[in-house]
Every structure is written in C-alpha cells, then in structure tokens.
Amino acid sequence: MKIGIAADHGGFELKEKLKVQLEKQYLSISDFGADAYDANDDYPDFAIPLAKAVGMGLVDRGIVLCGSGVGACFTANKVKGVRAALLTETYSAHQGVEHDDMNMICIGGRVVGEELAWEIVQAFLKAQYSGEARHERRLDKVKQLEKEQ
Ligand code: RB5
C-alpha cells in the first residue's frame, strides 16, 4: 500500500512522529511536506499536492495534518476523487473506509495526542472497503455530484 502524509506547521510535529511509526510498518511512505517547521507556512501548500496524489491514485491512502485538521480537510475534499474526513476517534477511522471508501484522513495536531493519532492511523490503514451494494449506491450518488461540479 502506498501512503502519503503531509502537514503544515500546526501538524508538523505530529507528522514527524507518525512518520517514524509508519516507516516501521509500511514500505512506501511519501512525505508531501512540510520538510521543516515554519510557523508561517500554509496548509493548502501541503494538503493540495497530497490530495491530488490520492485523487489520481498515485498513493492509496493519505494522512494530512494541520492545527485543527479543519482547513486541511475541506481543502482535500475539493480535489476530485478524494473522500477525506476529520477524525478524533478510531470507529470512524475504519468504518469510514468500510462503508464510504474513505481514502484520506485529517487530524488536528493541536487536538489529538500522539498515541490516539497512531491508533486512528492504524485503524484507517488496516480497514478495507466492503463494496456492498448499498455503499456502492451511495458512493455513486457522491460521484455523480462530483461530475456535476
Ligand atoms: C495554523 O496556525 C492553523 O490555522 C492551521 O494549521 C489549521 O488549524 C487550519 O485549519
């Protein structure tokens, strides 16, 4: 599985910690920045390249962080093919994949601690989309909306 991760200054420290954990367990981790802490950087500069990579299928799952996770999340969801959610707990991290084929998660570096963030990430990465007819039907409606935009 190819995994991408990105963060602005609000999520930078947590990104670095999660990356260490990810690199122990997964072979393909792409870091879309920031490469260094910069208190003046802007979340779209990192969320957009990662979201485009997810939307184009260059990475299978994306993890994006900012201070609250909010800005990164609505930015990611503007990119075609991205299904991102802001998470603070583990149930939605797997159910969002199983039911909704979620391909990106957003976490607030000022909101969620390292241990919980790592549990959220693991729940997200281990989950698989069920592909059940009712979920496909719902996703088709979302994809139709995307086409109309
Ligand atoms: C940066 O200070 C902060 O505004 C940003 O990381 C994020 O929380 C936006 O949603």
Side-chain angles (χ1 to χ4, degrees):
M1 180 191 289
K2 292 181 188 160
I3 299 160
I5 192 165
D8 74 348
H9 59 282
F12 181 77
E13 196 181 331
L14 184 56
K15 172 173 78 71
E16 295 302 299
K17 288 175 178 167
L18 291 175
K19 209 169 71 171
V20 170
Q21 296 295 334
L22 284 166
E23 283 169 347
K24 286 182 195 163
Q25 290 195 24
Y26 295 92
L27 291 176
S28 176
I29 313 296
S30 302
D31 188 342
F32 288 73
D35 297 328
Y37 180 83
D38 174 358
N40 292 313
D41 69 12
D42 302 325
Y43 60 82
D45 294 334
F46 312 105
I48 292 171
L50 172 57
K52 284 184 173 174
V54 171
M56 289 188 288
L58 301 176
V59 300
D60 302 303
R61 304 265 173 103
I63 301 157
V64 64
L65 305 101
C66 64
S68 63
V70 171
C73 204
F74 64 63
T75 303
N77 275 313
K78 291 188 184 297
V79 175
K80 190 169 180 235
V82 169
R83 293 174 296 280
L86 174 57
L87 298 182
T88 57
E89 39 75 32
T90 56
Y91 174 77
S92 305
H94 64 83
Q95 196 257 19
V97 177
E98 291 157 0
H99 288 202
D100 310 320
D101 203 14
M102 175 172 68
N103 52 17
M104 250 181 112
I105 59 169
C106 318
I107 299 176
R110 298 174 185 157
V111 180
V112 178
E114 182 186 351
E115 294 302 323
L116 176 56
W118 177 232
E119 289 193 15
I120 290 169
V121 166
Q122 288 180 92
F124 168 56
L125 295 178
K126 285 178 186 159
Q128 295 298 324
Y129 176 50
S130 71
E132 286 174 37
R134 64 196 165 116
H135 302 313
E136 282 290 287
R137 184 179 72 238
R138 292 160 191 163
L139 278 175
D140 283 347
K141 293 177 183 182
V142 176
K143 286 173 187 165
Q144 182 58 40
L145 171 68
E146 207 169 47
K147 275 188 201 152
E148 290 164 13
Q149 301 295 303

